[in-house]
Amino acid sequence: MRAAALAAAVTAGPTQWRRARICRDARCRTAFYDRSRHGSGVWCSMAGRGTASKHRSLVERRRERAGARPRRDPSGAAG
């Protein structure tokens, strides 16, 4: 399916080439045709690559925030 989408971009003309992309996931690097409304797609499959990438980013941000704040005592005791 992805190959067919890229083939359609090639035959459609130079304006369609702007939507040809390479997946942002370093382990994937698949070529795909960006069908997003604003031409801002970065993953070949949001369900597979995009979700995993967004999850990794979320976990990293949470770890950074947790590392920046002093940890609370789980027992609730002061000081």
Side-chain angles (χ1 to χ4, degrees), residues 21-74:
R21 306 266 193 269
I22 301 294
C23 184
R24 182 182 284 178
D25 188 337
R27 295 171 294 187
C28 177
R29 308 304 290 168
T30 300
F32 70 99
Y33 182 76
D34 179 13
R35 295 185 184 276
S36 66
R37 176 178 286 181
H38 300 290
S40 57
V42 293
W43 297 289
C44 62
S45 164
M46 183 59 198
R49 304 293 177 188
T51 302
S53 179
K54 286 183 175 189
H55 180 72
R56 278 191 301 274
S57 296
L58 174 67
V59 169
E60 288 173 13
R61 284 193 309 271
R62 285 182 176 171
R63 284 183 184 153
E64 288 173 7
R65 283 187 220 141
R69 291 183 293 186
R71 294 188 178 209
R72 286 198 240 167
D73 183 4

